[in-house]
Amino acid sequence: MKFRPLHDRVLVKRTDAEEKTSGGIIIPDSAQEKPMQGEVIAAGSGVRNETGKLTPLDVKKGDRVLFGKWSGTEVKIDGTELLIMKESDIMGIVE
């Protein structure tokens, strides 16, 4: 893939949605909620502060992150559905 986010933006691929409940009931595609967890595919270089110094992002490629339900902009790159969001939309890193 040839895409590099700019500044404080992050490219995230959602994790796959659960297809069964813990009780074993299969959830149809139309009723599944989109997961609020994903993997960082690419991250921008950071943001410049008032003095012009570059502040790097806290997330990096490969991190598993949690984000808000309505965070980011959905895009399709190379046939894959991805999200582009600002680092501030990310709530945390799953370790």
Side-chain angles (χ1 to χ4, degrees):
M1 173 184 353
K2 304 256 186 213
F3 182 83
R4 183 176 54 94
L6 298 176
H7 308 296
D8 64 337
R9 288 184 174 72
V10 179
L11 186 66
V12 176
K13 180 179 180 185
R14 285 188 198 264
T15 56
D16 293 329
E18 292 292 325
E19 295 180 8
K20 286 186 180 181
T21 64
S22 57
I25 298 171
I26 297 174
I27 304 169
D29 290 338
S30 59
Q32 289 179 0
E33 286 194 27
K34 292 185 178 181
M36 296 184 298
Q37 183 173 342
E39 180 182 352
V40 175
I41 303 298
S45 57
V47 198
R48 297 208 179 270
N49 61 18
E50 309 82 46
T51 62
K53 184 179 176 193
L54 187 68
T55 305
L57 301 181
D58 290 328
V59 297
K60 61 187 178 313
K61 182 178 178 178
D63 283 348
R64 295 191 65 77
V65 295
L66 293 175
F67 47 87
K69 190 172 194 170
W70 307 109
S71 298
T73 302
E74 293 184 359
V75 295
K76 194 174 245 188
I77 300 174
D78 294 339
T80 306
E81 289 193 18
L82 303 168
L83 287 167
I84 299 174
M85 64 182 70
K86 288 189 167 244
E87 185 188 37
S88 59
D89 291 339
I90 296 173
M91 292 185 252
I93 300 171
V94 179
E95 295 181 348

